Every structure is written in structure tokens, then in C-alpha cells.
Amino acid sequence: MSKRLRIAAGIALATGLLVSVAPAQAQVETGPWTSYSPSFTVQERGCGTVSNLTFQLTCSTASGDQRAERRYATYTGGTRQFEGSFRITSLGGTRVSLKQTFREAPSAGPFWMLAVERGGRLYAVHGGDTIATGATVGTTVRVNTVHNTATEHRTYINGSRAHTYASSGTSFYDKFGAYRTSSGQGPATVVWSNIKFWRK
């Protein structure tokens, strides 16, 4: 290395301009985790509308398919982690699903659903367990799901483990947004941010 290059490298190191690249680190559980970016499609049905990461149910209809969601690509086997933050900016309705893990094989259908009631209670749609409280209008909540497809689905709220659900199957996919549950209704507006995915 020439004297000029050595001097330039020394200056860069001293001023913090040279940054080492570390492996992607997930917010919860031990790795090693590898980050990835699955493709997605947007689903708008009934009175559901999507604008980038803002999801709205604009009606108070208590029947039919009312949804505004992103549906991510199917994953098969292994352990996957999803992370995202949501902020409810308005909730005139109640019992609106925010995050879903769907099973595609061997039998297709909703596997795990996180929903919110008016008042801020987060709960598991299947079984009704309270997962957390305090998801009130204007509050940002971070959600992580860690899913070993063969054994267990774990949910973390703001970094703390809040729910565990037994898992079996091979193929699943993630969805999030705003979706009317069978006992719920809008209107609702939910803004998601900081969406990340990892696998190991």
C-alpha cells in the first residue's frame, strides 16, 4: 500500500468512515439469522383499501369479506421470523385482525391471527387468549413472530414473548394489514412500518 493510501485509510478509520458489515440480526431469539425479502401481493376486498403501508377498512359492515392486506410469498420448512410495527390511527370498529400466519399445506386456512379490540386488547383469534394490552390509537407496537413450522409459533410484543402456539405442517405464509374477523367490523386505519424477515 502506498504512503498516500495508508494515510487515507488511517483518516477513514479515525473518522469512522470504514464500516464493517455484520450479519443481519433479528430483534428476538438467538440466530444465526439470515435476512431476506419475500415478494408480496396486495389484497383489497369489500371496503378495504391499501396505500403503501397504510391499511383501511372504510365501512362498519359486520359481514362479508372486508380486508386490506399484504400477502407474502409462501415459505416451506425451517424457522422464519417476521418483524413489523403497527400504529392504529383510528378504530371506530373492533375485533380487527392485524397480523396473520396462514397454513397452505397440508390443509389450507388461517393458522394464527393477531387481532385488536376497541380499547387496545390484542388477542389470538383462535382460542381468544389475551396476548397484550395497550394497543390504543396512536401507540406504536412492535410484533415479532418466530415460526418453526414443525413445532411452534411464538409471538413477541415489543420484544417480550407473549404467546406460544403449537405448529405442524409444511407450507405457510405471512399477512398483515387490517382484516375484519368473523365477529368484528370497521372502520379502522392501521399504519405498518419497519417490515423485516429472517430465516434459519
Side-chain angles (χ1 to χ4, degrees), residues 40-43 50-53 55 68-72 173-178 195:
F40 65 87
T41 57
V42 172
Q43 297 182 335
V50 178
S51 176
N52 193 17
L53 286 171
F55 303 84
E69 295 179 305
R70 279 189 180 185
R71 190 272 202 209
Y72 280 81
Y173 57 88
D174 290 299
K175 299 175 76 173
F176 66 82
I195 307 304

Side-chain angles (χ1 to χ4, degrees), residues 45-65:
R45 297 184 188 172
C47 66
T49 64
V50 178
S51 176
N52 193 17
L53 286 171
T54 299
F55 303 84
Q56 289 185 291
L57 302 179
T58 60
C59 64
S60 59
T61 305
S63 63
D65 193 357

Side-chain angles (χ1 to χ4, degrees), residues 12 15 17 20 28 30 50 53 59-60 76-77 81 87-89 97 99 113 159-161 168 170-171 179 190:
T15 58
L17 295 178
S20 62
V28 299
T30 57
V50 178
L53 286 171
C59 64
S60 59
T76 302
Q81 181 168 176
R87 179 170 54 89
I88 300 167
T89 60
S97 178
K99 167 70 176 70
M113 298 170 70
S160 296
R161 186 163 167 173
S168 63
T170 54
S171 299
Y179 169 74
V190 183

